[in-house]
Amino acid sequence: MQYVNAWRSVAAATGRADRGAAEDGVRLAYRRAGLAEPEHVIWADSPKAAVEVVVEKLVGAGRSVREEVRTRPWAQERRRIYDELGPAGWSALWSATGAQLWETTAALADRIRTGIVAELATRPEDEPDVRLVLLDAVLGQHDAAWLAAFDGRGDRLTGLAEVARNAGWWWPYEHAVVISERPEALHRDEAGRLDRGDGPALAYPDGFALHAWRGMPVPAEFLDSLATLTPERIRAEENAELRRVMLEYYGYDRYLSESGAQPVHQDETGILWCIAMEGDEDVAMVEVVNSTPEPDGTHRTYWLRVPPRTRTAKEGVAWTFGLDGDTYAPMRQT
């Protein structure tokens, strides 16, 4: 677990790279791969800027050596440990280490690639070149998942690990290497998804940024408009996904109270409300009151999102417990 926590911190690290340590790691990775050290080290303020350097400015760098520096050593180490531990042992090791980080780091890397393509491939004919350069990238800190699995099990990957601990993505070529800075800001929700309502969820020093609300990509100008939302503006939004973001930001209970919604059903468990959404499924909510009083004697109201097909408040509350309405019969509510 110590390795997992350490590499989780690496994957989420922000702030300026330790350029000296990262460059030392690059040189060690080249030596371990049996290659001459790169003659030139070029730094870029973001992965996007690094791709621009490779596409537009990198001359005489030679071929990509990603296969020798990253892919082949990884495969050989995996085979060595797999042979040592056996199938069950390897599976247990991966489950306890890399698997703990894989989903969030892979999703973040995919989002970065998508953002780079969107900004640099403004013409369809440019996209293949951008994507080819992205295939040459070593992901640095975002390779944390698989590096966690090998940590403490040999020094073959030490160079790659040192770059990851101290920098972002990098591109190894025969005679030159391009290294990206880490992000200067990273905001995620409890599920590890990019999430911020008042600015970029991921931002690099040169201004390359990704905007997201609970993992969903959104335009920067869309976030700027959230502070002035009204029920009318929410209803007028034609994009169903953006409308859901608006509702979450605005608050379902506030939307209900300010849009003149009418209750669909009421019983001893609460009140069922339904918001009709044009071009999308209806939003159903059950309003419930906590039976346990607050310190000041008041009772807090909660709103439970339930499936659109829900017909009664009891059925909705039961669904939140994984039950159907007929079997839901609590002895005491808290």
Side-chain angles (χ1 to χ4, degrees):
M1 183 58 73
Q2 61 173 326
Y3 296 129
V4 174
N5 290 335
W7 283 104
R8 181 177 286 111
S9 296
V10 168
T14 56
R16 302 297 293 186
D18 184 332
R19 294 190 173 192
E23 292 178 15
D24 286 345
V26 166
R27 295 185 184 98
L28 178 57
Y30 272 65
R31 293 197 301 271
R32 289 279 166 82
L35 301 171
E37 295 178 6
E39 301 160 21
H40 306 288
V41 177
I42 303 165
W43 280 88
D45 278 341
S46 72
K48 174 200 162 194
V51 171
E52 289 180 298
V53 168
V54 174
V55 171
E56 301 174 4
K57 303 174 184 177
L58 202 60
V59 178
R63 64 179 179 84
S64 169
V65 292
R66 182 182 188 276
E67 173 72 21
E68 294 95 318
V69 169
R70 193 270 194 191
T71 306
R72 193 177 300 159
W74 181 92
Q76 291 171 345
E77 282 299 280
R78 182 185 183 281
R79 171 52 61 184
R80 180 181 68 81
I81 296 174
Y82 185 91
D83 290 344
E84 176 186 318
L85 301 179
W90 166 255
S91 179
L93 173 64
W94 176 253
S95 296
T97 55
Q100 305 294 315
L101 309 177
W102 178 259
E103 186 174 347
T104 53
T105 53
L108 182 57
D110 284 343
R111 286 294 311 282
I112 292 171
R113 291 190 193 95
T114 300
I116 292 171
V117 172
E119 291 206 17
L120 295 183
T122 54
R123 301 177 304 170
E125 57 266 32
D126 295 333
E127 186 169 331
D129 287 341
V130 174
R131 291 194 179 277
L132 281 173
V133 172
L134 287 169
L135 288 176
D136 289 337
V138 181
L139 301 189
Q141 67 181 124
H142 298 142
D143 272 332
W146 68 267
L147 287 169
F150 296 112
D151 204 347
R153 293 184 169 272
D155 59 5
R156 176 77 182 275
L157 306 178
T158 300
L160 292 170
E162 283 305 297
V163 184
R165 290 188 180 100
N166 294 288
W169 296 18
W170 55 290
W171 280 257
Y173 295 93
E174 283 182 291
H175 309 300
V177 61
V178 180
I179 313 176
S180 166
E181 285 283 350
R182 295 181 295 205
E184 61 181 7
L186 173 64
H187 301 269
R188 295 189 288 193
D189 64 11
E190 63 280 356
R193 303 171 299 185
L194 288 177
D195 178 48
R196 190 180 179 191
D198 60 353
L202 180 74
Y204 282 87
D206 64 349
F208 173 60
L210 301 176
H211 296 77
W213 174 266
R214 297 183 182 175
M216 194 185 89
V218 295
E221 58 273 16
F222 171 79
L223 291 178
D224 293 337
S225 71
L226 292 180
T228 58
L229 280 178
T230 64
E232 293 75 23
R233 171 68 184 90
I234 294 172
R235 285 194 294 270
E237 175 56 54
E238 296 181 355
N239 184 303
E241 290 186 333
L242 293 182
R243 194 164 58 226
R244 290 193 197 105
V245 173
M246 289 176 169
L247 279 168
E248 289 181 359
Y249 185 91
Y250 197 74
Y252 292 103
D253 54 343
R254 182 183 174 194
Y255 180 86
L256 285 169
S257 65
E258 295 183 7
S259 62
Q262 297 296 315
V264 174
H265 178 266
Q266 182 172 357
D267 57 29
E268 71 280 5
T269 62
I271 304 172
L272 175 65
W273 301 80
C274 185
I275 307 172
M277 306 302 294
E278 185 176 349
D280 194 8
E281 66 179 15
D282 293 348
V283 173
M285 307 284 294
V286 178
E287 177 186 356
V288 297
V289 178
N290 190 354
S291 59
T292 302
E294 298 297 307
D296 62 0
T298 61
H299 292 262
R300 182 175 297 180
T301 298
Y302 293 94
W303 299 82
L304 309 175
R305 181 84 183 266
V306 296
R309 65 179 182 275
T310 304
R311 295 294 176 263
T312 69
K314 183 179 180 181
E315 179 185 339
V317 174
W319 178 85
T320 67
F321 290 99
L323 304 171
D324 58 48
D326 293 335
T327 58
Y328 177 68
M331 298 295 294
R332 179 173 177 265
Q333 286 185 294
T334 61

